[in-house]
């Protein structure tokens, strides 16, 4: 085992790409993603406003939208140019204020203000839609109050009819609706899974590239596989610990559980990733195909976590695909620990969801023995021919 560990460490030191994956590439990735979300809340998102009324009320509504920190108003003179701006992604939402809106409201009609948003930008569109509706509701309240008063309704009763119930919406575990709290952890988890996959796959592919499979197998299949896990899994766990330190110590995001619980959950996830990569490696036996297949398998990790989209609404094929990715199992434990501070028994119960990956062990055994026998048979045939 000692000689195998030295062999693996020497190979790591002589492999610039693997060293980069272990050291500075994750740091650069973490820094870039943190920088993208460092603003915490989207602000000054362009919104097209088409004012067909051009009255004091319509201008007041436009100013209220402009006053919302999430929006930045771009005025358009006609509907066609505003639609064209949306199609070209120059704006994320569009508001059309109809003609005679004040007169219609005072005379008992129900004018409609057309609000549209680009649903391709899921979070941005929903954010703008809710913020614009809130701004317009505040702006129209004065007109509704005047209508009530003109009908002879007392001021107190008019206020009560306009807003019979006071509502307050408070986001649990994210009081400021901070996108860093909401999106950064799952994005970094998806990145960490991809980095782990590349590190594990590159360590196995090196035996193919350097034509050292026979030497690797000569020490015993399970020793060779086990030593690679002993060397690289702790290194990837350290990367995960770095991500946790960035999120919950440096950035100070709320953490109800403990670091120890999160590290245990990460370790189980990494073992599952390792089993998947080893099975794919012995199944394909080609460097490019191994990387391509693993990348395709793990690429949709973030949307499949169910953070921004309900996974039960996905097609059945997508749900099966989701079950293959360890990060989809890990995110449930992560949310439970970070938000609810769940205890160890609940964590261990969630970790039992990984049982399906144990079925890869007999598959790896069969494939590894088949590959080993093929290598030694070719070697014996070559020696006999000589």
């Amino acid at each position: 085992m000692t000689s195998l560990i030295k062999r693996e460490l020497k190979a790591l030191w002589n492999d610039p790409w693997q060293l980069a994956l272990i050291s500075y590439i994750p740091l650069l990735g973490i820094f870039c993603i943190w920088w993208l979300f460092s603003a915490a809340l989207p602000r000054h998102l362009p919104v097209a406003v088409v004012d067909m009324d051009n009255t004091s009320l319509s201008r007041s509504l436009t100013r209220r939208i402009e006053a919302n920190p999430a929006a930045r108003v771009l005025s358009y003179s006609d509907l066609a140019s505003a639609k064209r701006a949306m199609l070209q992604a120059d704006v994320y939402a569009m508001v059309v204020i109809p003609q005679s809106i004040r007169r219609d409201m005072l005379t008992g009609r129900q004018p409609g203000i057309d609000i549209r948003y680009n649903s391709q930008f899921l979070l941005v569109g929903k954010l703008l839609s809710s913020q614009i509706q809130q701004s317009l509701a505040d702006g129209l309240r004065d007109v509704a109050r005047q209508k009530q008063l003109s009908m002879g309704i007392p001021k107190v009763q008019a206020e009560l009819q306009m807003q019979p119930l006071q509502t307050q919406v408070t986001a649990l575990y994210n009081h400021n609706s901070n996108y860093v709290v909401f999106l950064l952890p799952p994005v970094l988890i998806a990145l960490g899974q991809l980095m782990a996959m590349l590190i594990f796959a590159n360590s196995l592919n090196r035996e193919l590239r350097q034509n050292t499979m026979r030497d690797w197998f000569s020490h015993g299949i399970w020793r060779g596989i086990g030593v690679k896990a002993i060397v690289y899994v702790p290194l990837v766990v350290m990367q995960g610990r770095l991500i946790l330190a960035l999120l919950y110590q440096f950035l100070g995001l709320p953490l109800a559980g403990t670091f120890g619980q999160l590290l245990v959950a990460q370790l189980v996830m990494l073992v599952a990733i390792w089993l998947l990569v080893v099975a794919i490696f012995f199944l394909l036996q080609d460097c490019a195909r191994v990387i391509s297949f693993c990348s395709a398998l793990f690429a949709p990790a973030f949307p499949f976590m169910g953070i921004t989209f309900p996974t039960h609404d996905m097609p059945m094929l997508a749900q099966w695909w989701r079950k293959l990715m360890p990060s989809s199992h890990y995110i449930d434990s992560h949310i439970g620990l970070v938000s609810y501070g769940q205890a160890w028994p609940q964590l261990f119960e969630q970790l039992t969801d990984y049982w399906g990956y144990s079925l890869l062990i007999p598959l790896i055994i069969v494939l590894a023995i088949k590959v080993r026998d093929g290598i030694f048979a070719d070697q014996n045939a070559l020696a006999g021919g000589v």
Side-chain angles (χ1 to χ4, degrees), residues 29 67 101 118 137 151 155 159 166 168 213 222-223 310 317 319 335 339 350 364:
I101 181 174
N118 193 336
M151 296 171 61
K155 184 177 180 179
E159 293 286 350
Q166 294 286 343
Q168 177 180 346
M213 290 288 290
W222 313 124
R223 284 186 179 181
L317 178 60
Q319 295 189 36
I335 293 174
S339 299
Q350 288 177 338
I364 292 172

Side-chain angles (χ1 to χ4, degrees), residues 88-131:
Q88 295 174 354
D90 294 332
V91 296
Y92 296 111
M94 179 177 67
V95 180
V96 181
I97 303 176
Q99 291 181 348
S100 307
I101 181 174
R102 179 184 179 87
R103 183 186 63 190
D104 290 344
M105 290 186 65
L106 292 176
T107 56
R109 299 177 183 177
Q110 294 183 347
I113 298 178
D114 191 3
I115 302 175
R116 306 182 190 184
Y117 65 89
N118 193 336
S119 60
Q120 288 181 323
F121 304 98
L122 183 63
L123 297 176
V124 169
K126 288 189 174 182
L127 172 68
L128 281 177
S129 176
S130 62
Q131 294 297 312

Side-chain angles (χ1 to χ4, degrees), residues 237-256:
V237 169
M238 290 175 61
Q239 291 184 0
R241 180 62 176 84
L242 177 63
I243 292 175
L244 296 178
L246 169 69
L247 293 174
Y248 303 109
Q249 290 182 323
F250 178 73
L251 297 180
L253 302 188
L255 173 62

Side-chain angles (χ1 to χ4, degrees), residues 52-72:
M52 295 182 174
D53 193 30
N54 198 25
T55 60
S56 59
L57 175 60
S58 63
R59 289 191 291 270
S60 174
L61 294 177
T62 302
R63 287 194 298 269
R64 285 185 176 271
I65 298 174
E66 181 70 39
N68 194 307
R72 176 170 60 88

